[in-house]
Amino acid sequence: AQSVTQPDIHITVSEGASLELRCNYSYGATPYLFWYVQSPGQGLQLLLKYFSGDTLVQGIKGFEAEFKRSQSSFNLRKPSVHWSDAAEYFCAVAPVLGGGYNKLIFGAGTRLAVHP
Amino acid sequence: DSGVTQTPKHLITATGQRVTLRCSPRSGDLSVYWYQQSLDQGLQFLIQYYNGEERAKGNILERFSAQQFPDLHSELNLSSLELGDSALYFCASSPRTDTQYFGPGTRLTVL
Protein backbone atom coordinates (compact mmCIF):
# COMPACT_ATOMS: atom_id res chain seq x y z
CA ALA A 1 0.00 0.00 0.00
CA GLN A 2 1.11 3.53 -0.65
CA SER A 3 2.32 5.49 2.36
CA VAL A 4 4.09 8.71 3.26
CA THR A 5 6.47 9.15 6.16
CA GLN A 6 7.42 12.47 7.66
CA PRO A 7 9.94 11.46 10.32
CA ASP A 8 9.95 14.75 12.19
CA ILE A 9 6.80 15.59 14.13
CA HIS A 10 8.11 18.91 15.44
CA ILE A 11 10.98 21.08 14.24
CA THR A 12 12.15 24.34 15.76
CA VAL A 13 14.46 26.70 13.90
CA SER A 14 15.65 30.24 14.44
CA GLU A 15 14.48 32.96 12.13
CA GLY A 16 16.93 33.31 9.27
CA ALA A 17 18.18 29.75 9.57
CA SER A 18 17.85 27.20 6.80
CA LEU A 19 15.17 24.53 6.87
CA GLU A 20 14.79 21.02 5.55
CA LEU A 21 11.67 18.94 6.12
CA ARG A 22 11.94 15.29 5.27
CA CYS A 23 9.47 13.18 3.35
CA ASN A 24 9.75 9.56 2.24
CA TYR A 25 7.14 7.66 0.33
CA SER A 26 6.36 4.07 -0.47
CA TYR A 27 4.91 3.41 -3.90
CA GLY A 28 5.60 0.97 -6.72
CA ALA A 29 6.27 3.64 -9.32
CA THR A 30 6.92 7.37 -9.26
CA PRO A 31 3.85 9.08 -7.91
CA TYR A 32 2.90 12.70 -8.13
CA LEU A 33 4.38 14.52 -5.12
CA PHE A 34 3.18 17.57 -3.22
CA TRP A 35 3.91 19.76 -0.25
CA TYR A 36 1.06 21.61 1.44
CA VAL A 37 1.17 24.05 4.35
CA GLN A 38 -1.55 24.53 6.95
CA SER A 39 -1.55 27.58 9.18
CA PRO A 40 -3.55 27.42 12.43
CA GLY A 41 -7.27 27.43 11.72
CA GLN A 42 -6.67 27.53 7.98
CA GLY A 43 -7.06 25.17 5.08
CA LEU A 44 -4.25 23.59 3.12
CA GLN A 45 -2.23 25.69 0.71
CA LEU A 46 -0.17 24.11 -2.04
CA LEU A 47 3.51 25.03 -1.81
CA LEU A 48 4.79 23.02 -4.75
CA LYS A 49 4.30 19.85 -6.74
CA TYR A 50 6.31 17.40 -8.79
CA PHE A 51 4.82 15.52 -11.69
CA SER A 52 7.85 14.86 -13.90
CA GLY A 53 10.93 16.51 -15.36
CA ASP A 54 13.43 18.56 -13.37
CA THR A 55 13.80 16.95 -9.96
CA LEU A 56 14.36 20.30 -8.23
CA VAL A 57 11.02 22.06 -7.96
CA GLN A 58 10.48 25.69 -7.01
CA GLY A 59 7.40 26.70 -5.11
CA ILE A 60 5.80 29.69 -3.48
CA LYS A 61 7.13 31.61 -0.49
CA GLY A 62 10.73 30.74 -1.35
CA PHE A 63 10.36 26.98 -0.85
CA GLU A 64 11.90 24.31 -3.04
CA ALA A 65 11.87 20.52 -2.98
CA GLU A 66 14.05 17.86 -4.52
CA PHE A 67 12.78 14.52 -5.75
CA LYS A 68 15.27 11.69 -5.29
CA ARG A 69 14.01 8.51 -6.89
CA SER A 70 16.77 6.34 -5.43
CA GLN A 71 15.81 7.41 -1.91
CA SER A 72 12.05 7.65 -2.48
CA SER A 73 12.28 11.09 -0.96
CA PHE A 74 10.86 14.53 -1.62
CA ASN A 75 12.41 16.85 0.95
CA LEU A 76 11.29 20.44 1.34
CA ARG A 77 13.86 23.20 1.82
CA LYS A 78 14.05 26.91 2.43
CA PRO A 79 17.34 28.80 2.73
CA SER A 80 16.16 31.39 5.25
CA VAL A 81 13.08 30.91 7.42
CA HIS A 82 10.76 33.78 8.34
CA TRP A 83 8.60 33.89 11.47
CA SER A 84 5.52 33.69 9.25
CA ASP A 85 6.61 30.22 8.08
CA ALA A 86 5.54 28.74 11.42
CA ALA A 87 2.82 26.25 10.45
CA GLU A 88 2.24 22.58 9.81
CA TYR A 89 3.66 21.10 6.64
CA PHE A 90 2.25 18.06 4.90
CA CYS A 91 3.89 15.95 2.25
CA ALA A 92 1.47 14.08 0.00
CA VAL A 93 1.67 11.57 -2.79
CA ALA A 94 -0.87 10.70 -5.44
CA PRO A 95 -0.83 7.38 -7.27
CA VAL A 96 -0.78 8.12 -10.96
CA LEU A 97 -3.86 6.97 -12.89
CA GLY A 98 -3.86 7.32 -16.67
CA GLY A 99 -2.04 10.63 -16.62
CA GLY A 100 -4.04 12.01 -13.74
CA TYR A 101 -4.74 11.21 -10.16
CA ASN A 102 -7.52 11.39 -7.63
CA LYS A 103 -6.74 10.82 -4.01
CA LEU A 104 -3.90 12.41 -2.10
CA ILE A 105 -2.18 10.31 0.56
CA PHE A 106 -0.81 12.56 3.26
CA GLY A 107 1.98 12.16 5.75
CA ALA A 108 1.37 12.88 9.41
CA GLY A 109 2.74 16.38 9.10
CA THR A 110 5.66 18.31 10.56
CA ARG A 111 4.90 21.22 12.86
CA LEU A 112 7.42 24.02 12.40
CA ALA A 113 8.11 26.55 15.13
CA VAL A 114 10.28 29.60 14.43
CA HIS A 115 12.22 31.35 17.19
CA PRO A 116 12.96 35.04 16.78
CA ASP B 1 -8.11 32.37 -0.64
CA SER B 2 -8.31 29.20 -2.74
CA GLY B 3 -11.73 29.97 -4.19
CA VAL B 4 -13.26 26.89 -2.56
CA THR B 5 -15.94 27.69 0.00
CA GLN B 6 -17.26 25.46 2.74
CA THR B 7 -20.20 25.94 5.06
CA PRO B 8 -20.67 25.94 7.92
CA LYS B 9 -17.31 26.81 9.42
CA HIS B 10 -18.16 25.16 12.73
CA LEU B 11 -20.77 22.60 13.63
CA ILE B 12 -21.56 21.25 17.06
CA THR B 13 -24.01 18.40 17.41
CA ALA B 14 -24.84 15.38 19.51
CA THR B 15 -24.18 11.69 19.05
CA GLY B 16 -26.71 9.94 16.85
CA GLN B 17 -27.51 13.06 14.86
CA ARG B 18 -27.12 13.74 11.15
CA VAL B 19 -25.37 16.72 9.57
CA THR B 20 -24.71 18.01 6.08
CA LEU B 21 -21.54 19.79 5.08
CA ARG B 22 -21.53 21.89 1.95
CA CYS B 23 -18.78 22.69 -0.52
CA SER B 24 -18.71 25.06 -3.46
CA PRO B 25 -15.77 24.39 -5.77
CA ARG B 26 -13.73 26.97 -7.64
CA SER B 27 -15.43 28.30 -10.71
CA GLY B 28 -15.08 25.81 -13.54
CA ASP B 29 -13.67 22.96 -11.44
CA LEU B 30 -15.40 19.69 -12.19
CA SER B 31 -13.79 17.52 -9.51
CA VAL B 32 -14.61 17.71 -5.83
CA TYR B 33 -12.80 15.77 -3.14
CA TRP B 34 -13.59 15.29 0.53
CA TYR B 35 -10.98 14.70 3.22
CA GLN B 36 -11.18 14.16 6.97
CA GLN B 37 -8.51 15.47 9.33
CA SER B 38 -8.52 14.00 12.82
CA LEU B 39 -5.93 13.80 15.56
CA ASP B 40 -5.67 10.02 15.47
CA GLN B 41 -6.06 9.35 11.73
CA GLY B 42 -4.46 12.45 10.24
CA LEU B 43 -5.61 13.61 6.83
CA GLN B 44 -7.55 10.92 4.99
CA PHE B 45 -9.20 10.92 1.59
CA LEU B 46 -12.88 10.11 1.73
CA ILE B 47 -14.39 10.41 -1.72
CA GLN B 48 -14.14 12.12 -5.12
CA TYR B 49 -16.84 13.29 -7.49
CA TYR B 50 -16.30 14.38 -11.06
CA ASN B 51 -19.06 16.25 -12.87
CA GLY B 52 -21.73 14.65 -10.74
CA GLU B 53 -20.42 11.10 -10.73
CA GLU B 54 -18.56 9.29 -8.00
CA ARG B 55 -15.02 8.57 -9.21
CA ALA B 56 -13.02 7.30 -6.26
CA LYS B 57 -13.67 6.15 -2.76
CA GLY B 58 -11.31 6.10 0.17
CA ASN B 59 -11.81 5.35 3.83
CA ILE B 60 -15.37 6.57 3.95
CA LEU B 61 -17.69 5.00 6.49
CA GLU B 62 -21.03 3.57 5.39
CA ARG B 63 -22.70 6.16 7.66
CA PHE B 64 -21.23 8.86 5.42
CA SER B 65 -22.40 9.70 1.94
CA ALA B 66 -21.78 12.45 -0.57
CA GLN B 67 -23.16 13.81 -3.77
CA GLN B 68 -22.35 16.44 -6.36
CA PHE B 69 -25.15 18.46 -7.83
CA PRO B 70 -25.62 19.79 -11.39
CA ASP B 71 -24.25 23.18 -10.33
CA LEU B 72 -21.14 21.25 -9.15
CA HIS B 73 -21.47 22.02 -5.48
CA SER B 74 -21.13 19.02 -3.23
CA GLU B 75 -22.56 17.88 0.07
CA LEU B 76 -21.15 15.42 2.55
CA ASN B 77 -23.78 13.78 4.75
CA LEU B 78 -22.74 12.28 8.05
CA SER B 79 -25.31 10.25 9.97
CA SER B 80 -25.55 8.36 13.26
CA LEU B 81 -22.72 10.52 14.46
CA GLU B 82 -20.25 9.18 16.99
CA LEU B 83 -17.75 10.99 19.18
CA GLY B 84 -14.96 9.73 16.92
CA ASP B 85 -16.43 11.59 13.95
CA SER B 86 -15.30 14.87 15.47
CA ALA B 87 -12.79 16.21 12.98
CA LEU B 88 -12.01 18.87 10.43
CA TYR B 89 -13.60 18.07 7.09
CA PHE B 90 -12.00 19.56 4.01
CA CYS B 91 -13.30 19.88 0.53
CA ALA B 92 -10.94 20.36 -2.40
CA SER B 93 -11.58 20.98 -6.08
CA SER B 94 -9.64 20.71 -9.29
CA PRO B 95 -10.37 21.31 -12.99
CA ARG B 96 -10.03 17.64 -13.91
CA THR B 97 -7.43 15.55 -12.10
CA ASP B 98 -4.94 18.33 -11.59
CA THR B 99 -3.85 20.31 -8.56
CA GLN B 100 -6.33 20.13 -5.71
CA TYR B 101 -7.24 23.42 -4.07
CA PHE B 102 -8.52 23.12 -0.53
CA GLY B 103 -11.26 24.99 1.21
CA PRO B 104 -10.99 26.32 4.78
CA GLY B 105 -12.72 23.28 6.24
CA THR B 106 -15.68 22.60 8.49
CA ARG B 107 -14.88 21.76 12.09
CA LEU B 108 -17.35 19.17 13.39
CA THR B 109 -17.67 18.57 17.10
CA VAL B 110 -19.82 15.68 18.27
CA LEU B 111 -20.78 15.83 21.95
Side-chain angles (χ1 to χ4, degrees), chain B residues 30-41:
Chain B
L30 300 178
S31 272
V32 170
Y33 312 78
W34 286 97
Y35 292 84
Q36 179 195 59
Q37 185 178 32
S38 63
L39 286 175
D40 54 345
Q41 298 289 327

Side-chain angles (χ1 to χ4, degrees), chain B residues 30-95:
Chain B
L30 300 178
S31 272
V32 170
Y33 312 78
W34 286 97
Y35 292 84
Q36 179 195 59
Q37 185 178 32
S38 63
L39 286 175
D40 54 345
Q41 298 289 327
L43 265 162
Q44 287 202 303
F45 168 74
L46 296 178
I47 198 162
Q48 178 207 2
Y49 276 81
Y50 177 81
N51 203 19
E53 293 186 2
E54 182 186 303
R55 278 294 177 92
K57 234 173 181 177
N59 299 323
I60 187 166
L61 299 172
E62 284 190 13
R63 299 184 286 108
F64 296 1
S65 64
Q67 53 184 328
Q68 186 179 26
F69 295 86
D71 67 351
L72 301 178
H73 91 272
S74 178
E75 292 181 356
L76 180 67
N77 301 294
L78 315 177
S79 61
S80 302
L81 285 167
E82 303 175 359
L83 295 177
D85 298 328
S86 295
L88 195 51
Y89 291 85
F90 286 110
C91 167
S93 75
S94 69

Side-chain angles (χ1 to χ4, degrees), chain A residues 9-65:
Chain A
I9 298 174
H10 290 101
I11 283 185
T12 301
V13 300
S14 298
E15 192 168 17
S18 63
L19 172 70
E20 182 168 28
L21 302 182
R22 296 181 291 165
C23 172
N24 292 93
Y25 66 89
S26 173
Y27 183 61
T30 299
Y32 293 158
L33 297 158
F34 306 81
W35 276 98
Y36 281 86
V37 61
Q38 183 179 26
S39 298
Q42 302 295 314
L44 294 156
Q45 183 182 23
L46 179 69
L47 288 175
L48 46 78
K49 63 186 180 185
Y50 173 79
F51 283 5
S52 65
D54 192 344
T55 57
L56 186 61
V57 180
Q58 300 299 318
I60 62 170
K61 304 186 180 187
F63 286 94
E64 66 176 27

